[in-house]
């Protein structure tokens, strides 16, 4: 009988949410702790991941001086790791290094700021990666016309239209084997490469990565108005 692979999730949650300008009782609050339908955004994100039967634990990477995390009632599968770094990629790498995961374990990285992950997309990513024995990410094919802005203009002006054929917008979760991801992040960061998602590190070391269709509900809460949208469908 084949055993079901187990997956550990890492949630980078060490950001301050500068662009989202979230507040609580008039106090600035990192966006992942703002309440959405009476529940902190981070808890929505945790619950979305734990809905999957293969998800055995969730490691949350937070800033060293984060007091908010203590205010949450986290499920028992959660581990808080005070491994937040200067950038999202640093937080992910620090958290991976601090974990005692096997090199061959599947690790899923998912933004704390994506609380609306639908189960069907999460499952599709897991099934396709395991079947292909390959890392992969959720992403959305670009459906609008894409413009490049001309540089050095006071007002934004179009320079040209980019061919959208074959363009995708990367989301998370992003799923890889632990050693592969750790090694790729280490190499990319040491080389000074700007790593905005895990897949960019994998690309940096020349390895391949599956694209699996995501969902608009899996929006990254980035701007103040994004709260209204997730509030609507969560
Ligand atoms: N040094 C950092 C920066 C970000 N993140 C996390 O990475 C995810 C996606 O990042 P983003 O949406 O950019 O969050 P912030 O950095 O908090 O937002 P902003 O850039 O507006 O400050 C979030 O869950 C955020 O907490 C992190 O763990 N460590
Ligand atoms: C990882 C990510 O969510 C993929 O779209 C994105 O790159 C994070 O970007 P941010 O600027 O750190 O929000």
């Amino acid at each position: 009988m084949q055993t079901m692979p187990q997956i550990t999730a890492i949630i980078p949650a060490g950001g301050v949410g500068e662009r989202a300008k979230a507040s609580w009782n008039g106090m600035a609050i990192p966006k992942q702790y703002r309440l959405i339908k009476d529940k902190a955004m981070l808890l929505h994100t945790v619950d979305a991941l734990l809905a999957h039967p293969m998800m055995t634990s969730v490691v949350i990477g937070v800033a060293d001086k984060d007091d908010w995390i203590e205010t949450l009632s986290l499920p028992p599968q959660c581990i808080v790791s005070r491994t937040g770094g200067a950038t999202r990629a640093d937080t992910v790498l620090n958290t991976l290094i601090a974990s005692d995961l096997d090199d061959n374990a599947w690790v899923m990285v998912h933004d704390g700021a994506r609380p609306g992950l639908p189960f069907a997309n999460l499952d599709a990513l897991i099934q396709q990666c395991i079947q292909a024995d390959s890392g992969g990410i959720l992403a959305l094919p670009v459906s609008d016309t894409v413009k490049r802005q001309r540089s050095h203009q006071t007002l934004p002006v179009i320079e040209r239209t980019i061919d959208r054929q074959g363009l995708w917008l990367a989301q998370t979760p992003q799923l890889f084997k632990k050693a592969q991801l750790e090694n790729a992040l280490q190499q990319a960061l040491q080389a000074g490469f700007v790593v905005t998602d895990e897949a960019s590190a994998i690309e940096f070391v020349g390895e391949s990565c599956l694209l699996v269709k995501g969902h608009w509900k899996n929006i990254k809460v980035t701007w103040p108005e994004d709260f209204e949208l997730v509030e609507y469908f969560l």
Side-chain angles (χ1 to χ4, degrees):
M1 198 177 68
Q2 250 193 333
T3 53
M4 191 163 66
Q6 300 191 334
I7 299 170
T8 296
I10 288 184
I11 301 182
V16 291
E18 180 71 33
R19 288 166 293 177
K21 296 189 189 332
S23 63
W24 179 79
N25 278 351
M27 208 187 337
I29 175 175
K31 63 184 175 185
Q32 56 274 27
Y33 298 113
R34 198 180 121 166
L35 300 184
I36 300 172
K37 293 259 167 75
D38 294 329
K39 180 166 140 183
M41 179 179 357
L42 188 55
L43 281 178
H44 285 281
T45 306
V46 165
D47 288 347
L49 291 168
L50 286 175
H52 202 282
M54 288 187 199
M55 203 67 62
T56 45
S57 62
V58 176
V59 186
I60 306 174
V62 301
D64 197 27
K65 295 206 169 76
D66 180 331
D67 296 329
W68 294 95
I69 192 75
E70 312 295 347
T71 66
L72 303 188
S73 295
L74 292 166
Q77 300 95 320
C78 287
I79 298 160
V80 174
S81 176
R82 294 204 169 262
T83 40
T87 67
R88 179 186 175 285
D90 292 314
T91 301
V92 173
L93 180 57
N94 294 346
T95 310
L96 260 183
I97 291 172
S99 74
D100 58 356
L101 291 167
D102 286 351
D103 281 356
N104 215 26
W106 285 102
V107 176
M108 173 173 282
V109 181
H110 184 50
D111 291 328
R114 290 188 190 267
L117 171 66
F119 178 85
N121 302 90
L122 170 63
D123 188 49
L125 176 67
I126 292 172
Q127 300 304 341
Q128 290 187 38
C129 287
I130 288 176
Q131 201 178 353
D133 196 23
S134 164
I137 71 169
L138 287 187
L140 281 181
V142 171
S143 56
D144 294 327
T145 298
V146 181
K147 306 292 185 191
R148 172 167 296 285
Q149 182 189 325
R150 196 181 287 163
S151 55
H152 312 306
Q153 300 284 314
T154 324
L155 286 176
V157 171
I158 296 170
E159 183 180 277
R160 64 192 162 90
T161 299
I162 308 286
D163 181 5
R164 78 179 106 152
Q165 186 66 33
L167 291 189
W168 294 66
L169 297 173
Q171 299 187 328
T172 66
Q174 306 202 352
L175 181 60
F176 299 96
K177 294 283 181 70
K178 190 250 187 184
Q180 180 196 21
L181 180 57
E182 190 177 311
N183 179 36
L185 281 169
Q186 244 154 2
Q187 288 197 42
L189 290 172
Q190 264 163 26
F193 183 71
V194 179
V195 178
T196 55
D197 70 343
E198 289 59 55
S200 32
I202 300 292
E203 295 152 32
F204 179 83
V205 294
E207 289 166 16
S208 85
C209 177
L210 289 177
L211 286 163
V212 177
K213 200 166 174 221
H215 199 285
W216 64 267
K217 285 186 178 173
N218 188 28
I219 174 181
K220 177 163 66 65
V221 176
T222 305
W223 305 103
E225 59 271 25
D226 296 339
F227 286 100
E228 218 175 303
L229 182 61
V230 287
E231 185 98 27
Y232 173 73
F233 65 77
L234 268 176

